[in-house]
Amino acid sequence: MRSLTTGYCKLLSPLRLTAVSCRCLSSNELKMPPCDFVPERYESLPYEHVVEVRKKNLSAALTTYYSKPLLLHQGHMQWLFDHEGRRYLDLFGGIVTVSVGHCHPKVTEAAKKQLGRLWHTTNIYLHSPLHEYAEKLTSRLPGKLKVLYLTNSGSEANDLALYMARLYTGNYDVISLRSGYHGASPYTLGVTALSAYKPGVANGFGCHSTMCPDVFRGIWGGSHCRDSPVQTTRTCSCSAGSCEAKERYIEQLKDTLDTSTARRIAAFIAEPIMGVGGAIQYPKGFLKDAYQLVRERGGLCIADEVQTGFGRTGSHYWGFQTHDVMPDIVSMAKGIGNGFPMGAVVTTEEIATSFARSLHFNTFGGNPMACTVGSAVLDVIEEDGLQDNCNTVGTYLLLELSKLRDKFEIVGDVRGKGLMIGVELVTDKKTRQPLPAEKLNVIWENCRDNGVLLGKGGLYNNIFRIKPPMCIKKEDADFAVAVLEAAINKYLDTAA
């Protein structure tokens, strides 16, 4: 195995600070790709004081990553820098939020100009950024999805989408998929089907979950189910043009509709690829059949694009397009603003009109700053070719990660599309028993020590979530895979 050096080169003086790619690594090991960006010297609160403030003045509900939490100071494109000048490849993008790159120059410049012109006015007044953005964003959605509501977060967006569906249909019951995450507001907690997020008090009435169509860990799955360059290693005996797994999971949805809801429902909400649930992909055709069942019951179909939207899947701009479906309502957030707090709901004129029967108001939704940033993000996605980059680099990264699955018994599954990727760790491939979270953490921490930041997720917290800024390059992918491989080797050597 390669030897790892966790130390870094000393920065001799703030005045002599050079591009922080000077990690002191021995001759045969992991070399971080170069970066010519020079971070500013950190001159704020000492690390120990920050930790103390965290304990005293911030809610204990706010968890931190890593045994020794990172104190981040600056970001540039796919890179983050801590208070000591160490550089990290960010493969989690602020929880799938940094879409075009940390502090992208064009987005930053647009924000600065608007900051000097008009920070805030509510949407009771006309202002150009709102109307320019509304036209620009809706032009990127197909069909009749042309009416926009702007919010401040994904939870708000999904909350509004559910409310809108209930108003329009006159029905109440909502269906979601187990292991799905849609937010933490009282409404959205009902459709979030992960117990870790449930507070144990009444919330989300009228919400029901159906079996998650997970073709790796679920009851059914085969070797041709996913829209991904990497399939499961499960055997598949389906005849051409058929998918037994899809049919079985649809039967479970029918059973939920027959036993848990009224005969007519309000909505079905699903992510095109699960985010917090661990990049779970459904059998091809599942969402299409699910949408048909829901509409037969009078319900609307909501596509939660909070993590999959804006080109991240590579082949399409929106995740729902990869399933050949047309939702009635689309919710979005996170990458919409590259880290600026904003979200949106887009629907049809007919559904939007029914929603106008009562006054709806959002003080900050559609404010000039958010709309200016959002507009610049849309421009950069096109100008920098980021959707194509997701397709090219994402496919390359998936295939390289699949080699780790072939090499290591504990790498049970690699899946995803574009730069929406999951790597699931197991105790062994035969039983698919999840690797305990504390063991996964050893690998995760080692990756951090060697300059790669990964997310975690899944029902058992045994899945690495890889959703980086969409500007990463192939050499970054090579570095990330090498670091992960070395971390797994180190873990196995220690565990032996």
Side-chain angles (χ1 to χ4, degrees):
M1 139 175 200
R2 298 170 174 138
S3 65
L4 302 178
T5 304
T6 58
Y8 295 78
C9 293
K10 295 287 186 180
L11 302 177
L12 301 179
S13 156
L15 298 177
R16 295 179 60 191
L17 188 65
T18 58
V20 190
S21 57
C22 57
R23 297 161 52 113
C24 298
L25 301 169
S26 56
S27 58
N28 64 336
E29 44 58 293
L30 312 165
K31 187 173 182 181
M32 184 176 280
C35 172
D36 59 6
F37 178 78
V38 180
E40 299 171 2
R41 181 182 182 183
Y42 179 78
E43 295 180 333
S44 189
L45 299 175
Y47 183 90
E48 293 75 16
H49 186 63
V50 171
V51 171
E52 189 62 26
V53 170
R54 184 90 179 193
K55 290 179 181 177
K56 285 185 175 181
N57 304 115
L58 291 175
S59 169
L62 298 174
T63 60
T64 55
Y65 262 17
Y66 304 113
S67 55
K68 183 179 180 181
L70 284 173
L71 175 52
L72 295 174
H73 168 51
Q74 201 162 358
H76 174 72
M77 302 308 282
Q78 66 268 47
W79 306 107
L80 285 169
F81 300 84
D82 71 10
H83 68 296
E84 295 179 319
R86 296 183 178 96
R87 177 161 62 100
Y88 302 89
L89 177 62
D90 182 10
L91 290 191
F92 201 27
I95 313 182
V96 208
T97 299
V98 179
S99 50
V100 301
H102 290 283
C103 301
H104 190 288
K106 178 161 186 173
V107 180
T108 301
E109 185 59 29
K112 285 179 179 178
K113 286 183 178 179
Q114 186 59 44
L115 198 63
R117 186 180 300 127
L118 182 67
W119 284 29
H120 174 72
T121 182
T122 65
N123 50 40
I124 61 174
Y125 302 111
L126 303 182
H127 60 88
S128 292
L130 170 60
H131 299 83
E132 290 171 359
Y133 183 62
E135 186 174 49
K136 186 181 289 187
L137 178 60
T138 56
S139 72
R140 286 162 171 78
L141 284 132
K144 297 180 180 180
L145 295 167
K146 299 301 176 190
V147 181
L148 172 68
Y149 293 80
L150 287 164
T151 67
N152 306 292
S153 72
S155 291
E156 270 190 58
N158 281 329
D159 197 288
L160 182 60
L162 296 172
Y163 182 35
M164 194 180 294
R166 282 171 165 164
L167 277 175
Y168 176 74
T169 63
N171 303 327
Y172 195 66
D173 288 325
V174 177
I175 303 291
S176 63
L177 299 175
R178 292 171 199 158
S179 295
Y181 176 85
H182 300 284
S185 67
Y187 246 36
T188 57
L189 275 174
V191 289
T192 290
L194 289 160
S195 65
Y197 293 90
K198 301 286 191 180
V201 297
N203 63 76
F205 296 107
C207 297
H208 313 270
S209 63
T210 191
M211 184 180 286
C212 175
D214 180 352
V215 298
F216 169 72
R217 181 164 298 287
I219 300 174
W220 305 286
S223 55
H224 304 286
C225 292
R226 299 194 294 225
D227 177 21
S228 172
V230 183
Q231 300 290 334
T232 71
T233 56
R234 298 176 76 168
T235 57
C236 181
S237 57
C238 298
S239 59
S242 68
C243 179
E244 181 181 351
K246 186 259 290 186
E247 297 298 334
R248 297 294 189 189
Y249 289 118
I250 285 294
E251 287 296 326
Q252 290 298 311
L253 175 57
K254 288 179 182 177
D255 185 69
T256 301
L257 290 167
D258 289 340
T259 61
S260 301
T261 72
R263 291 186 177 181
R264 294 187 65 80
I265 66 172
F268 168 70
I269 184 170
E271 302 164 274
I273 299 175
M274 281 190 182
V276 175
I280 294 173
Q281 290 182 280
Y282 323 129
K284 286 177 281 190
F286 172 82
L287 273 190
K288 197 163 191 173
D289 286 5
Y291 274 29
Q292 181 178 338
L293 282 176
V294 168
R295 286 172 173 149
E296 288 172 357
R297 298 291 186 113
L300 298 184
C301 299
I302 303 171
D304 180 341
E305 292 278 355
V306 169
Q307 296 193 27
T308 52
F310 300 94
R312 180 165 289 278
T313 61
S315 63
H316 295 78
Y317 204 83
W318 304 107
F320 69 78
Q321 293 172 310
T322 69
H323 295 271
D324 190 27
V325 297
M326 180 66 76
D328 302 294
I329 303 173
V330 180
S331 60
M332 55 193 79
K334 291 188 179 288
I336 193 174
N338 198 47
F340 196 93
M342 62 184 299
V345 176
V346 180
T347 188
T348 66
E349 184 179 2
E350 182 183 7
I351 295 170
T353 299
S354 73
F355 186 59
R357 70 180 67 166
S358 62
L359 182 65
H360 174 73
F361 184 73
N362 188 312
T363 300
F364 294 105
N367 71 79
M369 287 299 300
C371 292
T372 298
V373 168
S375 184
V377 168
L378 294 179
D379 291 342
V380 169
I381 290 172
E382 290 190 8
E383 293 167 7
D384 290 4
L386 295 184
Q387 181 181 331
D388 182 63
N389 193 63
C390 286
N391 194 39
T392 302
V393 178
T395 299
Y396 177 77
L397 179 55
L398 273 162
L399 293 173
E400 290 300 303
L401 288 168
S402 71
K403 295 175 183 178
L404 301 187
R405 182 192 64 181
D406 297 340
K407 182 175 182 178
F408 295 108
E409 182 70 13
I410 67 168
V411 181
D413 194 34
V414 172
R415 54 182 176 260
K417 187 174 176 64
L419 286 173
M420 185 90 179
I421 297 171
V423 178
E424 181 158 357
L425 300 193
V426 296
T427 56
D428 66 89
K429 287 186 171 73
K430 184 176 181 180
T431 66
R432 302 195 297 275
Q433 184 72 22
L435 189 73
E438 65 273 14
K439 294 185 178 180
L440 176 133
N441 286 347
V442 174
I443 300 170
W444 180 60
E445 294 265 2
N446 191 268
C447 288
R448 189 282 307 268
D449 290 343
N450 288 281
V452 173
L453 304 182
L454 298 167
K456 298 186 297 179
L459 182 61
Y460 306 104
N461 219 28
N462 68 316
I463 300 165
F464 286 131
R465 296 171 62 198
I466 300 174
K467 291 96 181 249
M470 299 189 298
C471 58
I472 69 162
K473 302 174 182 178
K474 280 188 176 181
E475 52 263 41
D476 303 326
D478 286 332
F479 172 67
V481 173
V483 167
L484 180 56
E485 180 177 6
I488 293 172
N489 270 320
K490 184 174 182 180
Y491 164 77
L492 293 174
D493 287 349
T494 304

